[in-house]
Amino acid sequence: MKDAEGKLALSAVDFVPANITFQVAVTRVRNDNGQINERVLATMKRDINNATPTIFMEAGVPSNTFSKIYTLIESELLPPAMALRSHGTTYDKEMQSYTGKQMVKGGIIGFGTESNHEKKVLQMVKQGAQLQRNVDLKAGQVKDQINAMLARYNIMATVALESRRLVKYSSKQKQANTALDVVGIQFHPIP
């Protein structure tokens, strides 16, 4: 140590970010007959065995408390996020053929031919809004439960968000809008 005097000594410790997050993705697989099948998959970004945030270890959060928090996010927040993404994928498929189904049915154009498909799309929009609300409400519930568990360790939980650009549908829009998706929980020290 005498030779190290005046020099900076660093040790390499694995730093784990202060969040527990997941990803919900759509996979597309072409089967033998050429048809593309889509499947929604949801996974935690880090395995429970190596996901304890460094902030938890520094604050002395017990491993069983971390396990409860991880499981809470995985079992309570991930399923509604997956349901929302699955619904969004189905809605996108429906919208690809919306005008064809809306306007012409059996060679007839006009009153009454568009109402069934239009009603279906409106119901899907309503369900999408409800599913988004479910994710938001569940995120608030999970965050509150986690904050109750972490208060004694001076750690605060907030909802982790990722932004996603929305499609620009109108030439009158100056720019495309951005959506914020709930992707887990992040943690912050309370000074």
Side-chain angles (χ1 to χ4, degrees):
M1 279 303 212
K2 201 171 193 181
D3 295 336
E5 192 173 327
K7 296 180 182 175
L8 179 63
L10 299 174
S11 67
V13 177
D14 289 338
F15 177 81
V16 178
N19 62 41
I20 300 173
T21 56
F22 53 82
Q23 56 193 14
V24 181
V26 178
T27 61
R28 290 173 178 85
V29 179
R30 188 175 300 274
N31 60 19
D32 294 338
N33 66 3
Q35 184 179 357
I36 296 175
N37 292 327
E38 292 182 334
R39 196 169 132 194
V40 177
L41 297 175
T43 56
M44 299 298 284
K45 285 193 177 177
R46 286 187 297 279
D47 182 78
I48 192 168
N49 297 319
N50 62 7
T52 305
T54 302
I55 190 174
F56 281 29
M57 292 183 278
E58 291 171 348
V61 176
S63 60
N64 68 332
T65 301
F66 164 73
S67 294
K68 287 178 188 174
I69 292 169
Y70 186 97
T71 303
L72 187 63
I73 294 167
E74 186 176 40
S75 65
E76 297 291 321
L77 187 52
L78 183 57
M82 186 172 169
L84 175 61
R85 184 62 181 266
S86 180
H87 178 77
T89 301
T90 302
Y91 180 79
D92 289 345
K93 284 181 196 174
E94 284 292 330
M95 289 307 294
Q96 288 174 357
S97 61
Y98 177 68
T99 53
K101 289 181 180 176
Q102 179 192 23
M103 297 306 291
V104 179
K105 205 163 217 149
I108 301 171
I109 298 175
F111 179 74
T113 57
E114 73 276 37
S115 60
N116 284 339
H117 197 261
E118 218 166 295
K119 181 178 175 185
K120 179 181 181 179
V121 169
L122 289 173
Q123 288 172 336
M124 289 185 76
V125 168
K126 179 183 173 191
Q127 280 188 18
Q130 184 60 55
L131 290 169
Q132 180 64 60
R133 185 171 183 265
N134 291 352
V135 172
D136 297 340
L137 289 171
K138 191 51 85 170
Q141 261 186 344
V142 167
K143 176 189 62 86
D144 290 348
Q145 290 173 1
I146 292 170
N147 276 329
M149 288 186 245
L150 295 176
R152 72 178 77 172
Y153 304 103
N154 291 330
I155 298 175
M156 177 182 73
T158 59
V159 177
L161 302 168
E162 281 184 2
S163 63
R164 171 177 49 88
R165 285 210 108 10
L166 297 174
V167 176
K168 186 176 169 184
Y169 282 107
S170 171
S171 61
K172 294 177 177 101
Q173 282 180 284
K174 291 184 180 173
Q175 63 185 26
N177 293 317
T178 302
L180 294 175
D181 295 326
V182 174
V183 295
I185 300 291
Q186 55 191 22
F187 306 98
H188 311 274
I190 301 172

